[in-house]
Amino acid sequence: MSELSKARIPDAPAIQRLPLLQLILVGLQHVLLMYGGAIAVPLIIGQAAGLSREEIAFLINADLLVAGIATIVQSLGIGPMGIRMPVMMGASFAAVGSMVAMAGMPGIGLQGIFGATIAAGFFGMIIAPFMSKVVRFFPPLVTGTVITSIGLSLFPVAVNWAGGGADAAQFGSPIYLAIAALVLATILLVHRFMRGFWVNISVLIGMCLGYVLCGVIGMVDLSGMAAAPWVQFVTPLHFGMPKFELAPILSMCLVVVIIFVESTGMFLALGKITGQEVCPRMLRRGLLCDAGASFFAGFFNTFTHSSFAQNIGLVQMTGVRCRSVTIVAGGLLIVLSLLPKAAFLVASIPPAVLGGAAIAMFGMVAATGIKILQEADIGDRRNQLLVAVSIGMGLIPVVRPEFFAHLPMWMSPITHSGIAMATLSALTLNLLFNILGGKERAAINDCHAHQH
């Protein structure tokens, strides 16, 4: 590391005075990088709940609003919340499996999802101060396994989209596959032949190209867009009063714990990049913001929120480590949330276009988990068994959703979530192999050391 970078790192979390144009461009870069991931969750849940395109557009606006506010609080630090580092916030993929299951459950639906989100956010604010004391239960071995499982469990969504949508009359039609392949190939070619800013917006470039092609061949339906207002404010409780049901709440509380695990790993990684030691107090502030955003999100028609790993990679790639950039990016998200026509355009993207991008995006989530696993002692056979069994458990609801059909209905939000299954398995096996069996393993290692 050069003397110059050594000198700059201590000032990294400060609100540095960058030129305004540079601040806006780098902030926009953060928004473009996370936009696809941010809108994916409301798109998935909106489709699972059978909402109209206008209602899905409203969900997207609500998500962008909460993501923008949460990003500003997380980066700036307000009261007891906010880690005061360059963090982008958005709807978490960790909750998708549970929420899709809830959307199809009688008497739950969107109102039940929002109620569970509010309750889980409140639960998160209660446990956040204690999470730093139980970090030893969430080493890279567990965190990496969980994040890998998140990526793998979302792949059916990407495949359904790439085939034209789960309900497509001609699922797997060559035209759908060609569009998805074009989007994916564009993303890969940009990464191969372009540099810098273009690489950072490769997903957006691929999706725009696919969208234009679909428009040319008549696959984009914009009917009703003219009637959408240019500006619209997101109103709280738009879909009615939230419902509070025990099983969905328990499932979402588990999701909040999963989000805390992910965020802890991401905050520690960001601390290494910016030269900041993430102490328990900082970690508590960051997790409180995650939980507070989820609590707030339930009232504003959106879902559990967490920090985005892609943007942590962007901080490392660009070398721009000041939090003023993500504060500006949060402001841009709030502005986008006020423009229904923009959200309507996003909601009209054909599933095949989303599918090509999702294969890359969801794969990157799995790759992030694999990267974290490299920090663990993966050469140890017990640890290999932990990863193997946990990922296998996580894939059960993905491969055969009806596998647990004969178990009690209250368990379904957990048994239908591959992420929840993988997390429970990884935590249990880590407790069995590495925490309770710690002394025994130390003795075995000492024995091997003496033999050699």
Side-chain angles (χ1 to χ4, degrees):
M1 187 181 291
S2 68
E3 291 299 314
L4 177 62
S5 59
K6 279 183 181 177
R8 290 177 60 191
I9 282 177
D11 297 325
I15 304 179
Q16 297 173 356
R17 294 184 181 275
L18 295 178
L20 181 61
L21 180 61
Q22 184 181 345
L23 202 61
I24 293 172
L25 285 177
V26 181
L28 180 62
Q29 195 169 232
H30 272 285
V31 171
L32 293 174
L33 188 65
M34 61 88 70
Y35 196 88
I39 65 171
V41 174
L43 276 171
I44 295 168
I45 305 306
Q47 290 175 354
L51 299 184
S52 67
R53 193 179 303 137
E54 290 81 6
E55 289 173 322
I56 292 176
F58 186 89
L59 274 188
I60 291 171
N61 278 347
D63 181 60
L64 293 175
L65 174 68
V66 174
I69 293 171
T71 296
I72 291 173
V73 174
Q74 190 72 277
S75 303
L76 183 63
I78 296 177
M81 293 184 181
I83 198 167
R84 295 176 178 168
M85 293 170 73
V87 175
M88 291 295 293
M89 300 283 289
S92 173
F93 283 116
V96 168
S98 296
M99 291 190 296
V100 168
M102 290 179 210
M105 290 172 67
I108 304 297
L110 270 183
Q111 292 170 311
I113 292 173
F114 295 144
T117 301
I118 292 167
F122 183 72
F123 168 76
M125 287 191 284
I126 292 173
I127 67 166
F130 306 102
M131 279 300 288
S132 58
K133 299 178 182 178
V134 294
V135 168
R136 70 191 188 105
F137 293 104
F138 303 104
L141 180 67
V142 173
T143 309
T145 301
V146 170
I147 295 178
T148 302
S149 296
I150 291 171
L152 295 177
S153 66
L154 288 172
F155 259 99
V157 175
V159 173
N160 281 333
W161 279 347
D167 300 323
Q170 293 181 307
F171 182 83
S173 167
I175 187 65
Y176 296 142
L177 303 186
I179 290 166
L182 172 71
V183 173
L184 180 58
T186 301
I187 293 169
L188 296 175
L189 289 173
V190 169
H191 274 266
R192 172 61 182 85
F193 294 107
M194 306 293 276
R195 293 289 181 272
F197 179 74
W198 299 106
V199 170
N200 295 337
I201 61 168
S202 60
V203 170
L204 190 75
I205 293 170
M207 288 178 67
C208 286
L209 187 61
Y211 187 82
V212 169
L213 176 62
C214 288
V216 169
I217 62 179
M219 286 179 59
V220 175
D221 179 15
L222 294 176
S223 59
M225 180 177 173
W230 282 102
V231 177
Q232 183 183 49
F233 292 96
V234 174
T235 51
L237 306 178
H238 178 80
F239 294 93
M241 291 298 292
K243 295 180 182 176
F244 298 94
E245 302 283 343
L246 182 60
I249 287 173
L250 291 175
S251 176
M252 292 296 277
C253 286
L254 176 60
V255 166
V256 165
V257 174
I258 297 167
I259 288 173
F260 280 3
V261 174
E262 292 176 31
S263 294
T264 298
M266 291 174 193
F267 292 150
L268 292 172
L270 189 58
K272 292 176 184 176
I273 293 168
T274 60
Q276 282 287 107
E277 182 182 349
V278 180
C279 62
R281 181 174 172 271
M282 286 179 66
L283 182 59
R284 184 176 72 245
R285 291 181 61 91
L287 297 180
L288 267 174
C289 185
D290 275 9
S294 298
F295 179 79
F296 180 72
F299 290 104
F300 275 81
N301 321 292
T302 187
F303 315 105
T304 48
H305 275 56
S306 66
S307 55
F308 268 46
Q310 305 98 301
N311 294 87
I312 291 173
L314 184 58
V315 172
Q316 185 174 25
M317 193 184 308
T318 62
V320 180
R321 304 182 177 100
C322 61
R323 56 194 172 112
S324 51
V325 169
T326 49
I327 293 169
V328 168
L332 292 174
L333 285 173
I334 293 173
V335 170
L336 283 174
S337 76
L338 302 175
L339 307 174
K341 286 188 186 292
F344 202 102
L345 270 176
V346 173
S348 69
I349 297 173
V353 174
L354 293 171
I359 288 172
M361 284 195 302
F362 298 163
M364 283 297 290
V365 176
T368 301
I370 293 169
K371 183 180 179 183
I372 293 172
L373 280 173
Q374 292 175 345
E375 299 175 26
D377 182 14
I378 205 65
D380 186 289
R381 188 166 295 178
R382 287 186 184 177
N383 288 347
Q384 291 173 8
L385 194 59
L386 181 151
V387 175
V389 171
S390 300
I391 289 179
M393 292 295 289
L395 286 176
I396 289 174
V398 173
V399 177
R400 291 299 293 267
E402 70 276 20
F403 188 84
F404 296 109
H406 296 289
L407 293 181
M409 178 61 75
W410 65 267
M411 295 180 65
S412 60
I414 295 173
T415 56
H416 280 71
S417 169
I419 300 160
M421 295 291 293
T423 303
L424 288 173
S425 174
L427 284 172
T428 304
L429 292 179
N430 185 57
L431 189 66
L432 176 67
F433 288 162
N434 297 322
I435 296 178
L436 297 180
K439 292 181 180 178
E440 172 199 342
R441 298 189 71 178
I444 291 172
N445 291 337
D446 288 344
C447 180
H448 284 313
H450 287 308
Q451 286 175 357
H452 290 292

